[in-house]
Amino acid sequence: MGRVAKWYLVPGLLLAGCATPQYAIRPVPVPEESAAALEIERDISAVQAEEFERLGARRLGWNERVGGLDVQDVVDRLSRVTERPALPYRAYLYTDDGPNAAALADGRIYLSTGMVQYLAGRGARVDEPLDSASPRSGRMPSAVEAELAVVLAHELAHTVAQHLVKRYRMLQRQQLVMALVAAGASAATRDASAGAQQAGQLAVDAAGLLQDVANSGYSQEQELEADQLGIRYMRQAGFEPRAALELLQDFSRFEYPWPFLRTHPYTSVRRDYLERYLAETESPEGQRKALQDAQRLYPKSSISWQNLQRQLEALER
């Protein structure tokens, strides 16, 4: 299924992904809520949703359990602690034997039947109670639900950080440069009308640009950023963040064997970076500093600032 980004799997054949970024604590995203950004999100999501519809995607009910998991409940718990809690996050299930997941820019999150089966199968080995109860069911979440939260939090992070919007704008800039170069070359050969026509075609090819973004994967930098953001959301929502380490360890067996032309970092690199990130931020002091650094990015009256303030106050209790 080449049209949507997948949670773990296939490294795309793009030169941009050759070098794995160095470890660093990524800054908290400051989402853009402009009309232009929201329109790009809607348009990209409409293109991506068509592929899922072809795969029989259906929206999960509010209390529906699949594979013993209340997917929408986990989505709700995670989305409330993100920097974009007001987006209408809804979970969908689609038919695909591979363990895949994807998030659309408008808040829709898709899980494959293969991912549900994979996590449910792991539940037979790792189903142990964790520390915090689900507000909807009143149950203690299991370890397999924590692993579901790993997948969903990572996907939510791509949406919150607006990775597809950023890619759209990057490709748009590249397209404009190509148009200007084409116009200049034609003018130099005294064929200005042809140059202007070609430039116009490149500049207004919005449909093709949307398709390119929908088909493309995320960069390695964006994958690593989503890993860290996902860990923050898991921690703040009451899930055990170290579940990500075991899950990534197991996912390494799905990986392609060659390192060339990759867009995704190896899962071993992602795991190593996450282990270091957890070590640097899991103490109360580390969490407090990370939250304070994030809070400084927002005006005091904003929803995100208040959300982070509640989390800081919870650390003091």
Side-chain angles (χ1 to χ4, degrees), residues 5-7 41 84 101-105 151-166 217-227 229-230 233 264 270:
K6 302 179 182 180
W7 189 77
E41 288 180 334
R84 302 185 72 186
L104 272 58
V151 175
L152 295 176
H154 178 96
E155 293 303 331
L156 282 169
H158 283 305
T159 297
V160 172
Q162 296 177 303
H163 286 156
L164 292 180
V165 174
K166 291 171 183 174
Y218 299 111
S219 69
Q220 293 198 24
E221 178 62 41
Q222 289 174 334
E223 291 293 346
L224 295 171
E225 180 183 14
D227 281 344
L229 287 173
Y233 301 153
H264 288 54
R270 293 173 64 189

Side-chain angles (χ1 to χ4, degrees), residues 106-121:
D106 64 0
R108 284 177 278 185
I109 301 171
Y110 291 82
L111 276 183
S112 70
T113 51
M115 177 64 83
V116 172
Q117 291 164 4
Y118 168 76
L119 291 173

Side-chain angles (χ1 to χ4, degrees), residues 26-72:
R26 271 71 184 174
V28 174
V30 181
E32 180 188 342
E33 300 288 352
S34 70
L38 296 177
E39 183 178 4
I40 293 170
E41 288 180 334
R42 286 193 298 270
D43 290 345
I44 294 172
S45 298
V47 174
Q48 290 181 310
E50 291 178 359
E51 176 72 14
F52 287 111
E53 288 171 8
R54 282 191 285 270
L55 293 170
R58 65 175 183 86
R59 191 168 69 179
L60 294 175
W62 290 110
N63 297 301
E64 182 178 355
R65 298 178 69 81
V66 290
L69 298 166
D70 187 342
V71 179
Q72 185 63 50

Side-chain angles (χ1 to χ4, degrees), residues 190-258:
R190 299 185 179 181
D191 189 5
S193 61
Q197 183 179 11
Q198 186 176 5
Q201 288 173 348
L202 284 168
V204 300
D205 188 14
L209 188 58
L210 288 169
Q211 192 68 61
D212 287 344
V213 175
N215 287 342
S216 66
Y218 299 111
S219 69
Q220 293 198 24
E221 178 62 41
Q222 289 174 334
E223 291 293 346
L224 295 171
E225 180 183 14
D227 281 344
Q228 287 189 7
L229 287 173
I231 290 296
R232 285 205 314 106
Y233 301 153
M234 287 185 67
R235 180 182 280 147
Q236 293 158 16
F239 293 99
E240 172 51 61
R242 287 192 167 271
L245 301 180
E246 185 172 347
L247 192 63
L248 282 171
Q249 180 69 36
D250 192 56
F251 263 22
S252 63
R253 63 191 171 91
F254 296 114
E255 205 157 38
Y256 278 26
W258 52 84

Side-chain angles (χ1 to χ4, degrees), residues 244-302:
L245 301 180
E246 185 172 347
L247 192 63
L248 282 171
Q249 180 69 36
D250 192 56
F251 263 22
S252 63
R253 63 191 171 91
F254 296 114
E255 205 157 38
Y256 278 26
W258 52 84
F260 304 107
L261 307 182
R262 302 176 58 86
T263 57
H264 288 54
Y266 275 129
T267 51
S268 60
V269 173
R270 293 173 64 189
R271 188 185 185 283
D272 290 346
Y273 282 13
L274 274 186
E275 191 161 29
R276 182 172 173 183
Y277 176 76
L278 282 163
E280 292 181 7
T281 61
E282 64 188 354
S283 68
E285 293 76 16
Q287 290 184 51
R288 187 177 299 107
K289 182 179 185 304
L291 291 171
Q292 289 170 341
D293 289 345
Q295 194 178 46
R296 281 191 280 272
L297 298 171
Y298 298 95
K300 267 196 172 183
S301 59
S302 69

Side-chain angles (χ1 to χ4, degrees), residues 10 14 20 79 90 99 116 175 182-183 191 203 215 234 241 269 297 316:
V10 182
L14 296 175
T20 301
S79 65
R90 286 304 308 267
V116 172
Q175 196 176 78
D191 189 5
N215 287 342
M234 287 185 67
V269 173
L297 298 171
E316 303 299 330

